[in-house]
């Protein structure tokens, strides 16, 4: 059992040689990394020393959404505390998960100000020599919106429409860190996109890299690539080999998914068109050739041939004006904005469903479902779906994604939503009840 206390509070944190004000867990951003094993019990007592309500969500964990488990309907007011108690199933996949606040209406400002941390689940797969001999690094990518006062939390409606961005990309709160890597060794990076809105189309030119995990655990076999895209909330684990004594950069290119569909000129998922350096890797030592990575990695229980009990359609839309003189835009799924009193869909425990998520807007939206991971069957942009578990999937502008979800193990009420957190706070979210 892992028993931890987290205090949510404003703190001054190091920032490019000086200090800035952030919202933190235990005084740091990111918060502490929590490591557990399948079958473990994780208890977290969260104390709220902020001046707004908060709570805790364990993103990607396949645990109960009820009672004191991953119950996002719990509200912890300023000055209050709550103890979460998560029973991690004995057959839970190992992988990289995370925790962040989920109180509707304050999620974007709290996450963007620094509140996020990594949860690692380890099992026998982590002892495979290929993985165990590699140097592990946890990389939480963020672009926090922090400054010298809480005023930085104020954000315009136009800004929320696009999703808030910070003024620079950080790795574990450090701008452009440099890693020194002996040639001939392997690195293992657990990368999490904890940004409120930013997509990271990552590339590592000049080194070899294999993806070994998606959001919800190890892939069936390593996938050789030169990069991958991480939408907000997504994770990937990669093995990286640096064969030569050279310096290579991990970069995030511009991400433009605007289709030119009318009405929303300028909506995109990137604050600028510039390619940013995320970190540099400095290879040291004699040139070598590290072994090729391949073979079977994991027995992924594929849903491709599962019996499908039903289908559903979800449509992301932005449009119309909200009432109340806000002058804002409505963010909807199937024509409705979030209502905490309404159950949007009912599903039966033990069934398998195919969901088609369609995006009618000129910007990309990452679709996320709590508790039950899914597999991607098909996408409008013909990405080759990898064989692995996902809990966030990018739905391209004007496009669609078809995913398959198995409602296993847990009944209860929880959420699905867009993981651009301003969109979620503005209502692009619904409630699912599994019974
Ligand atoms: Cu990462 Cu509903 O959240
Ligand atoms: Cu989640
Ligand atoms: Cu969105």
């Amino acid at each position: 059992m892992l028993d931890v206390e987290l205090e949510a509070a404003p703190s001054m944190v190091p920032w490019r040689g000086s200090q800035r004000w952030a919202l933190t867990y235990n005084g740091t951003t990111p918060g502490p990394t929590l490591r557990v094993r399948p079958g473990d019990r994780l208890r977290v007592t969260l104390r709220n020393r902020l001046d707004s309500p908060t709570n805790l969500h364990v993103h990607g964990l396949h645990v109960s959404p009820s009672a004191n488990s991953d119950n996002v309907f719990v509200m912890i007011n300023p000055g209050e505390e709550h103890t979460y108690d998560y029973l991690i199933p004995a057959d839970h996949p190992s992988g990289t998960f995370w925790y962040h606040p989920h109180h509707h209406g304050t999620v974007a400002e709290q996450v963007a100000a620094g509140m996020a941390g990594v949860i690692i689940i380890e099992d026998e797969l982590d002892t495979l020599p290929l993985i165990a001999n590699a140097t592990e690094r946890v990389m939480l990518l963020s672009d926090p919106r922090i400054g010298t006062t809480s005023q930085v939390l104020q954000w315009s409606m136009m800004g929320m429409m696009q999703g808030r961005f910070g003024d620079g990309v950080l790795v574990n709160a450090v701008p452009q860190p440099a890693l020194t890597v002996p040639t001939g060794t392997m690195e293992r990076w657990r990368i999490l996109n904890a940004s409120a809105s930013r997509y990271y189309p990552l590339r590592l030119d000049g080194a070899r890299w294999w993806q070994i995990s998606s959001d919800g655990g190890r892939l069936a076999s390593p996938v050789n690539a030169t990069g991958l895209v991480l939408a907000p909330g997504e994770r990937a684990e990669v093995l990286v080999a640096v064969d030569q004594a050279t310096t290579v950069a991990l970069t995030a290119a511009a991400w433009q998914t605007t289709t030119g569909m009318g009405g929303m000129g300028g909506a995109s998922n990137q604050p600028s068109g510039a390619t940013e350096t995320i970190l540099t890797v400095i290879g040291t030592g004699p040139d070598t050739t590290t072994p090729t990575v391949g073979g079977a990695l994991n027995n992924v229980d594929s849903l491709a041939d599962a019996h499908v009990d039903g289908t559903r359609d979800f449509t992301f839309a932005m449009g119309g004006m909200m009432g109340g003189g806000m002058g804002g835009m409505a963010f909807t799924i199937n024509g409705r904005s979030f209502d905490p009193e309404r159950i949007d869909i009912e599903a039966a425990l033990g069934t398998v469903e195919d969901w088609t998520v369609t995006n009618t807007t000129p910007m990309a939206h990452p679709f996320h479902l709590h508790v039950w991971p899914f597999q991607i069957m098909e996408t409008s942009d013909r990405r080759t779906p990898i064989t692995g578990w996902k809990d966030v999937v990018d739905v391209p502008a004007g496009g669609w994604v078809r995913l398959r979800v198995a409602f296993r193990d847990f009944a209860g009420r929880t959420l699905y939503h867009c993981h651009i957190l301003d969109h979620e706070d503005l209502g692009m979210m619904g409630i699912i009840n599994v019974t």
Side-chain angles (χ1 to χ4, degrees), residues 43-285:
R43 270 162 51 104
V44 180
T45 299
L46 176 63
R47 251 190 304 282
N48 184 359
R49 299 269 182 271
L50 307 168
D51 58 13
S52 56
T54 192
N55 65 10
L56 199 74
H57 169 49
V58 283
H59 179 133
L61 290 197
H62 179 57
V63 294
S64 165
S66 309
N68 291 331
S69 186
D70 190 23
N71 183 346
V72 285
F73 301 100
V74 164
M75 174 167 90
I76 310 173
N77 279 310
E80 292 179 353
E81 65 174 53
H82 181 79
T83 299
Y84 292 91
D85 197 342
Y86 309 100
L87 298 176
I88 299 162
D91 61 354
H92 197 292
S94 52
T96 306
F97 306 92
W98 62 303
Y99 60 89
H100 64 77
H102 218 298
H103 177 69
H104 181 62
T106 61
V107 181
E109 65 180 41
Q110 292 181 359
V111 174
M115 289 171 69
V118 173
I119 300 173
I120 291 174
I121 299 189
E122 288 174 310
D123 66 8
E124 296 69 46
L125 290 177
D126 295 271
T127 65
L128 289 177
L130 176 68
I131 293 177
N133 295 336
T135 306
E136 183 201 55
R137 317 222 191 225
V138 177
M139 299 180 178
L140 182 148
L141 306 185
S142 66
D143 60 328
R145 188 70 191 177
I146 59 179
T148 49
T149 71
S150 62
Q151 290 311 307
V152 292
L153 294 182
Q154 307 310 318
W155 208 250
S156 70
M157 187 63 206
M158 182 57 99
M160 290 193 283
M161 222 175 77
Q162 200 157 51
R164 65 189 74 197
F165 295 98
D167 36 30
V169 176
L170 307 180
V171 182
N172 303 329
V174 178
Q176 299 183 354
L179 305 175
T180 302
V181 175
T183 54
T185 64
M186 198 70 92
E187 293 267 309
R188 174 207 192 173
W189 296 350
R190 298 175 181 269
I191 313 173
L192 154 66
N193 180 355
S195 280
S197 320
R198 190 184 291 246
Y199 278 62
Y200 293 90
L202 299 173
R203 282 189 71 90
L204 185 68
D205 292 316
R208 293 188 295 150
W209 124 331
W210 296 264
Q211 185 180 356
I212 57 168
S213 293
S214 55
D215 299 332
R218 236 60 75 199
L219 303 180
S221 54
V223 177
N224 188 209
T226 49
L228 53 83
V229 180
L230 286 184
E234 282 189 301
R235 289 88 66 210
E237 292 179 28
V238 295
L239 293 176
V240 175
V242 180
D243 300 333
Q244 269 134 28
T246 52
T247 297
V248 295
L250 177 68
T251 58
W255 176 253
Q256 289 291 350
T257 60
T258 308
T259 57
M261 295 156 63
M264 290 214 30
S268 78
N269 295 81
Q270 191 87 357
S272 78
T275 296
E276 303 210 35
T277 296
I278 307 294
L279 60 82
T280 53
V281 178
I282 304 162
T284 58

Side-chain angles (χ1 to χ4, degrees), residues 57-60 72 98 100-102 107 233 368-370 391-392 415-419 421 424 429:
H57 169 49
V58 283
H59 179 133
V72 285
W98 62 303
H100 64 77
H102 218 298
V107 181
H368 172 52
L369 171 66
H370 290 203
D391 52 62
V392 177
L415 304 169
Y416 54 89
H417 59 89
C418 173
H419 218 287
L421 298 174
E424 183 251 280
M429 179 156 77

Side-chain angles (χ1 to χ4, degrees), residues 316 318 331 363-366 418-420 423-424 428:
F316 280 141
M318 298 150 69
F331 283 73
M363 66 185 294
H365 300 273
C418 173
H419 218 287
I420 292 174
H423 296 178
E424 183 251 280
M428 209 174 237

